[in-house]
Amino acid sequence: MTAPLHEAHPSSPGRRLPDTQQGMRRRNLARVMHTVSAEGPLSRATVASRIGLTRAAVSTLVDELIRSGLLEELGPERPGRVGRPGSALTVSGRGPAGIGAEIGIDHLAVCAVDLRGVVRARAVRHCTNRGRAPQPVLGELTALVEQVVAEAALEGLWPTGLAVAVPGLVARDARTVVRAPNLDWHDIDLGALLPAELPLTVDNEANFGSLAELWLGDETPLDFLHVSAEIGIGGAVVVDGRLLRGTRGFAGELGHVPVRPEGPECACGGRGCLEQYAGEEAVLRAAGLTPGEDRVGLLAERAAQGDKDVLRALQGAGTALGVALTGAVNLLDPQTVVLGGALAALAPWLLPTLERELARRTAGAACAVAVSRLGSEGPLLGAAHSVVRAVLDDPAAVTGRM
Amino acid sequence: MTAPLHEAHPSSPGRRLPDTQQGMRRRNLARVMHTVSAEGPLSRATVASRIGLTRAAVSTLVDELIRSGLLEELGPERPGRVGRPGSALTVSGRGPAGIGAEIGIDHLAVCAVDLRGVVRARAVRHCTNRGRAPQPVLGELTALVEQVVAEAALEGLWPTGLAVAVPGLVARDARTVVRAPNLDWHDIDLGALLPAELPLTVDNEANFGSLAELWLGDETPLDFLHVSAEIGIGGAVVVDGRLLRGTRGFAGELGHVPVRPEGPECACGGRGCLEQYAGEEAVLRAAGLTPGEDRVGLLAERAAQGDKDVLRALQGAGTALGVALTGAVNLLDPQTVVLGGALAALAPWLLPTLERELARRTAGAACAVAVSRLGSEGPLLGAAHSVVRAVLDDPAAVTGRM
C-alpha cells in the first residue's frame, strides 16, 4: 500500500482526524476555530448557525477554546439590541504562534505569526549560503529562531512548531533535504541540526510559496500552478486547496520540463529544460550580465531602463515559460497560473510573450496568469502560516499544553 | 468558492458522506462492503476486527446489507471448529449491477458488471462513428444498453447506473461532451439522448481506462500517470487513488504537451504536440501507411514482421513520448507511468526509445513504466466498475430500492 500522495502536508489543512466521537469533537473544534478565524468577531449563535451545530454544542466547544487561549471574548456585542447580548468571539492574539524560517541562497529569515495571521516578530540575516556546509548555516538559523521566539514570548506567544523553507527537493519525511543544487546540499537531515524542542516541518520554498498564495493571496483559487524563481525555477501544484506532493515529494518541478528537447544541457541530466531559458542565471547570461547578489533587482532595473539585451532575454524567458506552462496546463487544467517569488518582480517583461505563447498553443482555452502580491515574501510567510493552520486544523493537539 | 477539483468522481470511491451519526452509519456500511469485497468470504467477527467495530455493531450493518441483497451468507464456516460457527459473508452475485458503455471511433460496446466485479453481459457493435451525428450513435448505444440490461435481469441483476466512456473532453457535469474532435462532436449533452431512468455518468475514455487500471490492474500503485491512444493520445492522472480532474474537467491532456515547440501544427491550435508524433494517425503517416479500421493491429503486425518504416515510426513515437513524459514526471512525480489502450499492444516497439529518453532526462530518478494488461478493454471496464464502486462506497444509496 502506497502512502497517500495527495494527503495534506503534516502542517496544512485537511489532515484526517479519526472517524470516532472523539474525532468528531476534534473536527468540530477545528470548524469553530476556522469559522471565527475567517469571519470573526462572531457570537456563539452565529458560529452555531455557520457550522450547523446547536448553540449548546458550540458553547461547550468555545469554552474549551477560550480556556486554552485560542479564542478570546471581546465582551457583550451590540448592547442596544433586544434579548440576551452575545459576547463576540475572536481568535486570540496571544498563545500559540507559528515560526517560519527560510534558507535562501543569499539570506536567512525567520518570523513568528500569531493565530490571527499577524507577523509579530521577524529577523533577517544576509549571507552567502551557496556552497556552505549545512552546520554553520543551520547554527545561524537556530540563533535567529531563538531571537524571534524570545521576542514573541515577550508578547505572550509560544511557538507550536517550526517550518523551514529550503531551495531544493525535500523528502516526504518533511525533514530531509534530498537535493539543493544551489546550496550544494545532498541528503541532509535538518531535524538533526535544528532545535529538537520544536516540531519541525521542512519543505521546498516553492511549496510554501504556493501555500502562502493560497492562504493570503487575493482571491487565489483552490486550483492553481505556482511558478517562482530563485536561481532556478520552482513550481508547485495546488489542487482543491492542497499541495500535490508526488510519490517522493518532488512534484511541481516545472523547471525541468523540456522546452526544446535538444537544447542546452541542464544540471538535472536533461537537455533544454525550462530552467535553461527562464532561470535567473540563464536570463542574466542571455542578457550578457554577470550574476551578482541582487540578480532580480538588476534585471528589473535594466529592463525598466529599456536595456535591449535584458528585454530580449526576458522575452525569451517568457516564451520558454509559455511553452512549459502549455504542457502543465494541458496536464493539470488549473484555474490560474500564479507567478510568484522573483518572477513577480519581472512579470511586466515576462508576461507579454508568456501569455501570447500560452494563448496560441491552447486555442483560446488558455488559463489565466496572475502575479503574486507576496513575491519573494511568499515562502517565509507560507512556512509560518503552515504552523498556524495546523493549530486551526486541530486545536485539540495544542490545547493540552496550556 | 470553487468546486473541489480533486474530489472523487460522482461514481468513484472516497466521496464524502456527511459528518453526522447517520453519515457515520453510511460510512460504516461502506467499510463492511469494501472489506468483504476485497477479502471475502469473511465471518462477521473477522469483518468486525478488520474495521475496528464491535461484533454487535457489525452484525446490525451486515443484516441490513443482506436484507438489501448486497451481501450473501454462504452458510456455517469451518463446522469442525470450537465455538458457535460463524457464517461466511460474500458480496452478492445478484442485485445491483453497473452498466458500462463505450463510444469508440469504430465501435460501440456495453457491459454489465455485478458487485463481485464479474462481467455478466456484454454487447459490441462495429460501426464507423467518425463524423456521425450524436443522435443515431446514441440511439444504437441505447439499444445495446437495453439488450445488456435485459440479459442481466435474467440473472437477477438490476442496474444502478450507466457510465459512458467517450473519446473527448467531458465537462465537470459528467454529462456534456465539450469536444470530441475525432467524432466531430461539440457541446453535446448525452443526458438528453440516453435513457433517463438510469443515473448517468459520462467521462473521458482515458479517465475510465485509468480507473480500470487502478481497480483491476496487477499491483497498480495509487499514484500513476496513464497514457493511452485511440487516434489521439489520452492521458489521465491518478493521485492517491483518485483522478485529478482539473478546473474544467480537462486534466490529463498529455497529447497536447509540446514536444518540439516549432513542430507540426496540431488541431488543438498548438504546434509540435505529442499527438503529432505518437498518435496512431501520426505513426501511420510516419510509416507511410494509410489509416484504416484496425490501425493498431496493422502497426503491430508490420512491426512484428520487422517492417523498417514502421519500426522507425514507432521509435520516433517512443522518443516523443519520453520527452512529454519527462515533463509530466517532473510535474507530478508519479510512482509509475502505465501505457494503456492501444499503446499497450505497441509497447514492445515503443518502450526502448521511450525509456531511454525518460532515463537520460531524469538522471536516474526516472519513473518506472508499466504496460497495462487491460489494454483497450480498460475504458469499458472502468466505466462499469465505476458504477459498482459507487455502490460499495455508499451502499445506503441503493438499499432503499430493494
Side-chain angles (χ1 to χ4, degrees), chain A residues 363-385:
Chain A
C367 183
V369 181
V371 178
S372 167
R373 206 175 30 79
L374 304 171
S376 54
E377 284 291 286
L380 180 65
L381 290 174
H385 277 266

Side-chain angles (χ1 to χ4, degrees), chain B residues 45-88:
Chain B
T46 309
V47 173
S49 79
R50 284 284 189 286
I51 65 178
L53 289 177
T54 63
R55 167 76 203 258
V58 164
S59 273
T60 308
L61 298 165
V62 163
D63 290 347
E64 179 172 345
L65 293 167
I66 291 175
R67 264 198 316 279
S68 309
L70 274 67
L71 288 183
E72 286 174 10
E73 285 187 291
L74 293 178
E77 60 167 4
R78 308 198 207 174
R81 292 180 70 202
V82 181
R84 192 181 145 211
S87 178

Side-chain angles (χ1 to χ4, degrees), chain A:
Chain A
M1 197 74 168
T2 318
L5 277 217
H6 191 261
E7 65 178 4
H9 197 255
S11 60
S12 78
R15 75 201 215 166
R16 288 253 175 107
L17 295 172
D19 200 2
T20 58
Q21 295 287 349
Q22 182 60 13
M24 214 189 277
R25 191 187 65 89
R26 287 172 70 173
R27 282 193 297 273
N28 284 332
L29 284 169
R31 286 191 183 109
V32 172
M33 280 304 293
H34 273 290
T35 304
V36 178
S37 172
E39 302 178 50
L42 291 178
S43 68
R44 285 170 171 77
T46 310
V47 173
S49 79
R50 285 284 190 286
I51 65 179
L53 290 176
T54 64
R55 166 76 203 258
V58 164
S59 272
T60 308
L61 297 166
V62 163
D63 290 346
E64 178 172 345
L65 292 168
I66 291 175
R67 264 199 316 278
S68 310
L70 275 66
L71 289 183
E72 286 176 10
E73 285 187 292
L74 293 178
E77 60 168 6
R78 306 198 210 174
R81 293 180 69 202
V82 181
R84 191 180 146 214
S87 178
L89 300 165
T90 185
V91 171
S92 175
R94 299 168 64 83
I99 309 295
E102 186 183 13
I103 300 174
I105 306 299
D106 307 313
H107 75 291
L108 297 172
V110 176
C111 76
V113 168
D114 67 21
L115 289 188
R116 293 174 180 176
V118 179
V119 176
R120 300 287 290 276
R122 204 172 194 293
V124 180
R125 188 185 159 91
H126 291 277
C127 47
T128 302
N129 294 321
R130 196 195 288 243
R132 247 177 119 198
Q135 284 78 359
V137 174
L138 292 165
E140 283 180 20
L141 191 71
T142 301
L144 292 181
V145 168
E146 284 164 359
Q147 178 188 331
V148 164
V149 168
E151 264 182 61
L154 294 176
E155 307 204 28
L157 293 162
W158 51 271
T160 63
L162 168 64
V164 182
V166 296
L169 298 175
V170 177
R172 290 197 58 124
D173 66 1
R175 288 172 55 114
T176 306
V177 178
V178 177
R179 199 159 66 232
N182 291 313
L183 294 170
D184 201 19
W185 292 3
H186 299 271
D187 297 311
I188 307 294
D189 175 5
L190 297 199
L193 301 167
L194 284 166
E197 61 274 19
L198 280 179
L200 175 68
T201 307
V202 180
D203 204 350
N204 176 268
E205 57 172 6
N207 282 350
F208 277 133
S210 71
L211 291 174
E213 209 56 43
L214 176 70
W215 296 327
L216 310 173
D218 301 325
E219 301 182 23
T220 308
L222 293 176
D223 306 277
F224 62 98
L225 178 62
H226 189 259
V227 192
S228 57
E230 192 194 25
I231 312 275
I233 293 279
V237 180
V238 175
V239 179
D240 190 18
R242 295 192 294 170
L243 264 172
L244 190 146
R245 300 199 159 270
T247 303
R248 296 161 301 174
F250 301 171
E253 282 289 290
L254 188 78
H256 299 289
V257 168
V259 170
R260 294 189 181 88
E262 302 312 328
E265 280 185 22
C266 183
C268 77
R271 297 192 80 99
C273 298
L274 174 61
E275 199 155 298
Q276 295 302 314
Y277 301 97
E280 283 176 19
E281 295 199 335
V283 176
L284 286 166
R285 215 165 38 231
L289 297 173
T290 311
E293 197 163 299
D294 183 17
R295 299 170 299 275
V296 172
L298 176 67
L299 287 171
E301 190 190 309
R302 295 287 180 95
Q305 289 164 356
D307 181 318
K308 288 212 168 57
D309 292 331
V310 169
L311 290 174
R312 197 181 322 110
L314 288 170
Q315 283 164 8
T319 302
L321 277 162
V323 172
L325 286 171
T326 296
V329 165
N330 270 299
L331 278 169
L332 300 166
D333 186 18
Q335 197 167 340
T336 313
V337 170
V338 180
L339 296 190
L343 293 179
L346 298 173
W349 303 285
L350 295 168
L351 278 178
T353 48
L354 189 166
E355 288 184 324
R356 190 176 65 213
E357 203 65 28
L358 190 56
R360 80 176 177 103
R361 290 180 184 276
T362 48
C367 183
V369 181
V371 178
S372 167
R373 206 175 30 79
L374 304 171
S376 54
E377 284 291 286
L380 180 65
L381 290 174
H385 277 266
S386 75
V387 180
V388 166
R389 301 288 293 205
V391 177
L392 300 181
D393 287 344
D394 188 15
V398 298
T399 52
R401 285 195 48 169
M402 296 298 287

Side-chain angles (χ1 to χ4, degrees), chain B residues 254-298:
Chain B
L254 188 78
H256 299 289
V257 168
V259 169
R260 295 191 180 88
E262 302 313 329
E265 279 185 24
C266 182
C268 78
R271 297 193 82 98
C273 298
L274 174 61
E275 197 154 301
Q276 295 303 314
Y277 301 97
E280 283 176 19
E281 295 199 335
V283 176
L284 286 165
R285 216 165 37 231
L289 297 172
T290 312
E293 197 163 299
D294 183 15
R295 300 170 299 275
V296 173
L298 176 66

